[in-house]
């Protein structure tokens, strides 16, 4: 998808026009990937717009920053308020939200500590991440020839920009080979995750996902799906998953804020189950969409309602719906 190039961005406390949200090319982040970020969503529900688990996303953002010794002048609560303000300023009833903490302009030594920690918050409309139809029909994926990073190299629990150099290798390889996504193994050869999604597989009605420590990001959607699947009475096991279990699974699906719950219909050209979205995936997907769309009670307190002002008829604020990727 490409940006419409309009809208407002929060930069270090100021709301600026999209076109003015710029930084100097000598900023540390550009050279060394010294940033941590989040991807959250605000959904349109019958009761108004609602953030989905924004508190959990902001907690993970501050966890990521802690690992990388980044301290921002605003605490988590104040920056959460800034996210709310940014979404309101853009007048989007449903959007994807990207808060980014980055090392700014001062020096280009590798040591980032003397560079300022700056923050930007972007929001935009983002549809089905893995393409139109993916949520119903599923996607074709391959196991990547690239592994996820080993323990004690690039911390997987941090959502750090640097980790996405690896993710881009996985994604480019898959795309150039005609697949929607790649599944990475960890250095021990167990299943890790997609380039930007956690992975679940189902065999004999038991649901499996890789544990923390298998080079996975602790996904907020992953955590939500574990809870919703258990609510539905399914057994969920977090365990190391050998690669070949991918080929023996009845059902496999990705989870993520961008990908939501996307079924996988083939892996390395081997059909997953019958090659269509399976019954448990359908039930879990339904439970997830019912929840985020606010059509079932918010029994886990995951929704935070927000009043979005209707934007004035200003052409600079007219957000064209982006093409689906
Ligand atoms: C590498 C990676 N794994 C998993 C996820 C899913 O995490 P979440 O459900 O919090 O969006 C993401 C997306 O942020 C990701 O980039």
């Amino acid at each position: 998808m490409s940006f419409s190039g309009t809208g407002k961005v929060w930069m270090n406390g100021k709301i600026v026009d999209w076109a003015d949200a710029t930084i100097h090319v000598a900023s540390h982040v550009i050279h060394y990937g010294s940033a941590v970020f989040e991807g959250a969503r605000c959904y349109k529900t019958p009761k108004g717009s609602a953030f989905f688990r924004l508190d959990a996303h902001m907690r993970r953002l501050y966890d990521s920053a802690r690992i990388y010794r980044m301290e921002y002048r605003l605490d988590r609560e104040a920056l959460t308020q800034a996210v709310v303000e940014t979404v309101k300023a853009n007048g989007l009833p449903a959007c994807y939200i990207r808060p980014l903490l980055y090392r700014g302009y001062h020096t280009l030594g590798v040591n980032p500590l003397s560079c300022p920690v700056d923050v930007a918050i972007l929001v935009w409309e983002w549809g089905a991440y893995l393409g139109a139809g993916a949520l119903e029909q599923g996607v074709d994926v391959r196991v990547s020839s690239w592994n996820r990073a080993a323990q004690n190299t690039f911390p997987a629990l941090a959502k750090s920009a640097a980790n996405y150099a690896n993710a881009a290798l996985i994604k480019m390889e898959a795309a150039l080979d005609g697949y929607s996504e790649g599944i990475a193994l960890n250095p021990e050869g167990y299943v890790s995750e997609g380039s930007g999604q956690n992975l679940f597989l189902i065999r004999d009605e038991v649901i499996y996902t890789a544990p923390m420590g298998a080079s996975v990001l602790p996904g907020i959607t992953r955590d939500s799906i574990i809870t919703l699947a258990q609510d539905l009475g399914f057994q969920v096991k977090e365990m190391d998953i050998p690669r070949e279990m991918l080929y023996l699974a009845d059902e496999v699906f990705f989870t993520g804020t961008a990908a939501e719950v996307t079924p996988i219909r083939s892996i390395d050209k081997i059909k997953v189950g019958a090659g269509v979205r399976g019954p448990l995936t359908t039930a879990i997907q339904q439970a997830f969409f019912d929840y985020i769309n606010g059509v079932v009670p918010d029994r886990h307190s995951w929704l935070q309602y927000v009043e979005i002002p209707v934007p004035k008829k200003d052409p600079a604020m007219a957000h064209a719906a982006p093409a689906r990727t």
Side-chain angles (χ1 to χ4, degrees), residues 177-238:
D177 280 355
Y179 296 96
S180 297
E181 211 13 293
I183 297 172
L185 307 180
N186 66 20
E188 288 74 45
Y190 292 106
V191 173
S192 170
E193 60 182 349
S195 68
Q197 312 84 8
N198 293 114
L199 182 135
F200 287 76
L201 69 80
I202 299 163
R203 184 166 157 107
D204 295 335
E205 305 210 336
V206 178
I207 302 173
Y208 300 87
T209 195
M212 216 73 73
S215 297
V216 298
L217 183 77
I220 312 296
T221 322
R222 173 187 180 278
D223 180 71
S224 310
I225 292 303
I226 292 173
T227 303
L228 293 177
Q230 286 169 340
D231 288 353
L232 289 170
F234 297 124
Q235 192 188 351
V236 183
K237 285 191 182 169
E238 294 179 59

Side-chain angles (χ1 to χ4, degrees), residues 41-254:
R41 275 193 194 263
C42 180
Y43 288 100
K44 196 175 170 190
T45 82
K47 285 194 274 165
S49 294
F51 294 105
F52 182 68
R53 303 195 69 179
L54 182 60
D55 51 345
H57 282 284
M58 296 307 283
R59 182 178 188 207
R60 190 173 63 185
L61 181 66
Y62 276 75
D63 285 350
S64 301
R66 189 179 174 84
I67 292 169
Y68 279 95
R69 303 174 192 272
M70 298 170 89
E71 271 183 39
Y72 191 57
R73 59 182 173 81
L74 297 184
D75 64 13
R76 177 149 57 111
E77 225 167 86
L79 202 62
T80 304
Q81 198 43 44
V83 168
V84 175
E85 273 169 34
T86 312
V87 171
K88 285 183 172 181
N90 279 276
L92 294 174
C95 58
Y96 181 86
I97 304 156
R98 169 60 55 84
L100 177 85
L101 269 79
Y102 59 95
R103 289 283 181 181
Y105 176 83
H106 180 58
T107 150
L108 279 178
V110 168
N111 182 354
L113 291 173
S114 64
C115 294
V117 174
D118 293 325
V119 173
I121 305 168
L122 298 126
V123 307
W124 66 90
E125 288 179 310
W126 208 355
Y129 177 70
L130 291 173
L135 296 174
E136 286 112 59
Q137 282 137 42
V139 290
D140 302 306
V141 309
R142 60 165 287 169
V143 172
S144 184
S145 69
W146 296 99
N147 283 350
R148 273 287 186 220
Q151 293 302 320
N152 212 27
T153 58
F154 298 88
L157 300 195
K159 193 168 168 64
S160 148
N163 291 0
Y164 288 81
N166 172 254
L169 291 169
I170 295 163
K171 185 80 184 185
M172 285 189 290
E173 177 186 63
L176 291 172
D177 280 355
Y179 296 96
S180 297
E181 211 13 293
I183 297 172
L185 307 180
N186 66 20
E188 288 74 45
Y190 292 106
V191 173
S192 170
E193 60 182 349
S195 68
Q197 312 84 8
N198 293 114
L199 182 135
F200 287 76
L201 69 80
I202 299 163
R203 184 166 157 107
D204 295 335
E205 305 210 336
V206 178
I207 302 173
Y208 300 87
T209 195
M212 216 73 73
S215 297
V216 298
L217 183 77
I220 312 296
T221 322
R222 173 187 180 278
D223 180 71
S224 310
I225 292 303
I226 292 173
T227 303
L228 293 177
Q230 286 169 340
D231 288 353
L232 289 170
F234 297 124
Q235 192 188 351
V236 183
K237 285 191 182 169
E238 294 179 59
M239 59 165 239
D240 284 329
I241 299 172
R243 171 180 182 164
E244 58 273 27
M245 247 180 108
L246 293 170
Y247 309 125
L248 305 179
D250 302 321
E251 303 179 40
V252 186
F253 60 88
F254 281 134

